[in-house]
């Protein structure tokens, strides 16, 4: 495997937070929303309106729960309110028409985000073992470690690099597509088609699924084709091709679209604080709290949405059934009721659970893989790039975006080996 077939120009187009690909999620927003979110949370834990409208963006934006112009919208900003909504799926459902047709139901085309209750637990249980911390080594050995070091090989001798796209963005997209048996030359085709041309992805996956049914290998598609469950009569069933395609679309979208931004945010936060970066370089046990602090301080997806199934009085706000509640986890993760000096990036603070990966039944399935990618990637940079620092001759990275936040280009210098 080599990275020669990874089109760098296309990477920059697909992973430009301020490019057309991300414009619909508020990619052009370059302000700091946190002072506004602090004010809103101090005024009330829950407000009428969407997060971006309340932040001062009048545009129509698209994200989970948006735009749905025919529904009332509300936004929660406190940790207590957001956490409560995550943990009450009966009232705050994960889709407009949450599905729980019982353990025997098979609903083609319906992904796990739209499922609730028994059905969601059954489908999630088919793949969850592959994403547990105990299986981190499987991901490391098969995809993450080789990908990380091949990427570093590309620039280690040059003394300079742009880490956001050429490194951070490439790791998760190559990891998740590799786990599906997709050749590297098609990895960016997957990324380009996500959310725009699902059939193009299905066309890439169809021969892979057929091949794994005939001859399973040690990858995620093989796990899906061999997954078994009992139907209402107790007979053993396997997933249909359509169900595998639906699973795959969800996992590919989640696996290639978020970790790169969170890794870039973490690396930028460390580079902006050279003393903290050197402390982590000297003592790698500090890397885990650094990653967790970055997840708290600036989660890459600062909002999740839920659909309200019944009239409810929620933290002082009357919310009618049929509304959409937007949980501003970015604001919740800086709630001073839970964290002292919440605006400070402090890797020495006591680690507490945050809402960066959500909470409750729909907590992010791939969060441990994401942590593994970030840990392996940052360790490799610290191991292989002596005197790593921001390039003073290039524009400094900044944080941009509304519903997909992350760093702009991360230009660095280091001592070449």
């Amino acid at each position: 495997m080599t990275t020669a077939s990874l089109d760098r120009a296309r990477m920059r187009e697909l992973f430009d937070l301020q490019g057309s690909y991300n414009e619909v999620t508020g990619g052009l927003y370059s302000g700091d929303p946190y002072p506004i979110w602090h004010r809103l949370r101090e005024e009330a834990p829950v407000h009428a309106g969407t997060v971006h409208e309340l932040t001062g963006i009048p545009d129509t934006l698209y994200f989970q729960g948006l735009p749905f112009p025919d529904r009332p919208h509300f936004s929660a900003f406190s940790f207590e309110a957001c956490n409560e909504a995550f943990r009450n799926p009966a009232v705050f459902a994960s889709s407009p028409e949450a599905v729980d047709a019982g353990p025997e139901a098979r609903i083609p085309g319906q992904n796990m985000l739209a499922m609730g209750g028994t059905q969601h637990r059954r489908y999630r249980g088919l793949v969850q073992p592959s994403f547990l911390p105990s299986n981190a080594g499987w991901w490391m050995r098969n995809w993450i470690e080789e990908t990380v070091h091949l990427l570093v090989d590309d620039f280690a001798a040059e003394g300079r690099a742009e880490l956001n796209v050429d490194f951070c963005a490439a790791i998760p997209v190559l990891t998740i597509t590799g786990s599906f048996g997709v050749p590297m030359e098609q990895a960016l085709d997957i990324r380009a088609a996500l959310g725009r041309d699902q059939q193009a992805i299905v066309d890439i996956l169809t021969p892979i699924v057929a091949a794994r049914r005939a001859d399973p290998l040690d990858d995620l598609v093989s796990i899906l084709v061999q997954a078994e469950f009992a139907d209402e009569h107790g007979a053993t069933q396997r997933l249909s091709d359509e169900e595998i395609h639906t699973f795959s679309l969800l996992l590919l979208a989640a696996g290639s679209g978020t970790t790169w931004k969170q890794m870039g945010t973490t690396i930028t936060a460390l580079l902006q604080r050279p003393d903290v970066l050197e402390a982590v370089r000297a003592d790698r046990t500090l890397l885990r709290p650094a990653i967790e602090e970055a997840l708290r301080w600036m989660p890459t997806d600062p909002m999740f949405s839920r659909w309200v199934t019944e009239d409810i009085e929620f933290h002082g706000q009357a919310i009618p059934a049929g509304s959409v509640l937007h949980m501003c986890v970015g604001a919740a993760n800086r709630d001073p009721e839970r964290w002292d000096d919440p605006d400070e990036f402090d890797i020495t603070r006591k680690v507490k659970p945050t809402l960066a990966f959500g909470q409750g039944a729909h907590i992010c399935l791939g969060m441990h893989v994401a942590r593994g990618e970030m840990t392996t990637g940052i360790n490799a940079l610290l191991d292989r790039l002596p005197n790593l620092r921001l390039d003073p001759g290039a524009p400094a990275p900044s944080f941009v975006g509304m519903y997909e936040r992350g760093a702009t280009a991360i230009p660095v210098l280091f001592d070449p080996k």
Side-chain angles (χ1 to χ4, degrees):
M1 177 171 137
T2 71
T3 59
S5 55
L6 202 61
D7 186 334
R8 299 292 179 183
R10 195 177 185 204
M11 283 282 292
R12 290 187 174 90
E13 177 187 354
L14 293 175
F15 292 93
D16 178 3
L17 274 171
Q18 295 183 297
S20 59
Y21 191 86
N22 291 306
E23 186 174 349
V24 295
T25 68
L28 297 180
Y29 179 75
S30 59
D32 179 1
Y34 282 94
I36 300 172
W37 293 347
H38 280 313
R39 174 180 57 78
L40 290 166
R41 188 184 52 244
E42 290 170 358
E43 292 174 356
V46 182
H47 292 257
T50 68
V51 172
H52 69 274
E53 290 168 344
L54 291 164
T55 308
I57 300 175
D59 306 328
T60 298
L61 298 184
Y62 294 78
F63 203 62
Q64 188 210 13
L66 294 169
F68 289 92
D70 57 332
R71 292 175 180 261
H73 291 260
F74 297 84
S75 296
F77 293 89
S78 72
F79 183 91
E80 183 181 2
C82 292
N83 191 45
E84 182 179 338
F86 273 123
R87 295 180 179 277
N88 188 358
V91 175
F92 301 101
S94 60
S95 69
E97 297 176 359
V99 175
D100 184 12
E104 74 284 353
R106 302 184 70 170
I107 305 177
Q110 197 76 263
N111 74 43
M112 286 189 295
L113 295 181
M115 297 176 185
T118 304
Q119 192 194 39
H120 173 260
R121 287 192 296 273
R122 187 194 74 186
Y123 271 76
R124 184 179 174 111
L126 296 177
V127 292
Q128 185 158 348
S130 299
F131 291 90
L132 293 175
S134 57
N135 274 325
W138 181 70
W139 289 91
M140 298 289 186
R141 290 189 305 273
N142 286 345
W143 302 290
I144 298 174
E145 289 179 347
E146 183 180 13
T147 295
V148 164
H149 286 286
L150 281 170
L151 291 168
V152 177
D153 287 344
D154 278 353
F155 53 72
E158 297 177 8
R160 64 174 62 242
E162 193 292 293
L163 295 181
N164 202 20
V165 172
D166 291 350
F167 185 71
C168 298
I171 293 170
V173 73
L174 294 178
T175 296
I176 193 64
T177 56
S179 75
F180 276 86
V182 175
M184 182 179 288
E185 58 269 20
Q186 290 184 301
L188 297 188
D189 293 336
I190 294 276
R191 169 68 183 179
L194 284 170
R196 301 185 178 200
D197 187 1
Q198 293 188 347
Q199 187 57 49
I201 301 175
V202 170
D203 291 343
I204 292 173
L205 294 176
T206 296
I208 297 173
V209 171
R212 298 301 185 270
R213 287 200 189 279
D215 184 19
L217 299 177
D218 188 25
D219 60 17
L220 202 52
V221 175
S222 298
I223 288 172
L224 290 173
V225 302
Q226 295 177 96
E228 296 181 343
F229 58 92
D231 66 14
E232 69 272 27
H233 304 297
T236 298
Q237 298 285 334
R238 288 189 171 179
L239 295 171
S240 67
D241 282 5
E242 185 175 1
E243 287 171 315
I244 290 174
H245 294 156
T246 301
F247 255 121
S248 302
L249 289 167
L250 173 62
L251 296 173
L252 286 164
S256 67
T258 55
T259 306
W260 73 275
K261 297 189 291 290
Q262 195 64 56
M263 189 184 304
T265 293
T266 306
I267 291 171
T268 299
L270 292 173
L271 287 166
Q272 290 175 337
R273 298 162 179 80
D275 57 329
V276 179
L277 178 67
E278 288 310 306
V280 173
R281 186 196 297 276
D283 180 1
R284 299 305 172 83
T285 65
L286 296 176
L287 181 53
R288 178 180 176 273
I291 290 171
E292 297 303 313
E293 176 67 349
L295 286 163
R296 181 203 68 82
W297 181 70
M298 193 173 296
T300 188
D301 288 347
M303 186 273 284
F304 295 85
S305 300
R306 293 293 185 264
W307 283 260
V308 183
T309 62
E310 61 184 59
D311 294 347
I312 186 173
E313 183 77 18
F314 189 65
H315 292 265
Q317 182 71 245
I319 302 179
S323 300
V324 185
L325 177 69
H326 306 284
M327 297 167 290
C328 186
V329 300
N333 279 356
R334 295 198 190 185
D335 191 332
E337 293 295 317
R338 186 169 174 82
W339 289 279
D340 295 332
D341 300 318
D343 289 327
E344 294 299 315
F345 180 83
D346 180 5
I347 71 170
T348 67
R349 74 169 75 243
K350 181 180 179 181
V351 175
K352 297 180 181 179
T354 74
L355 302 180
F357 289 115
Q359 277 297 335
H362 286 270
I363 193 169
C364 176
L365 184 66
M367 60 183 176
H368 301 302
V369 176
R371 287 183 171 107
E373 290 171 331
M374 288 188 280
T375 300
T376 305
I378 296 172
N379 267 325
L381 295 178
L382 296 177
D383 287 341
R384 299 188 56 187
L385 306 181
N387 195 24
L388 179 65
R389 61 204 184 274
L390 286 172
D391 183 350
S398 60
F399 299 108
V400 298
M402 174 50 57
Y403 292 129
E404 294 187 53
R405 282 189 68 74
T408 55
I410 308 173
V412 296
L413 302 176
F414 49 88
D415 297 340
K417 285 189 175 181

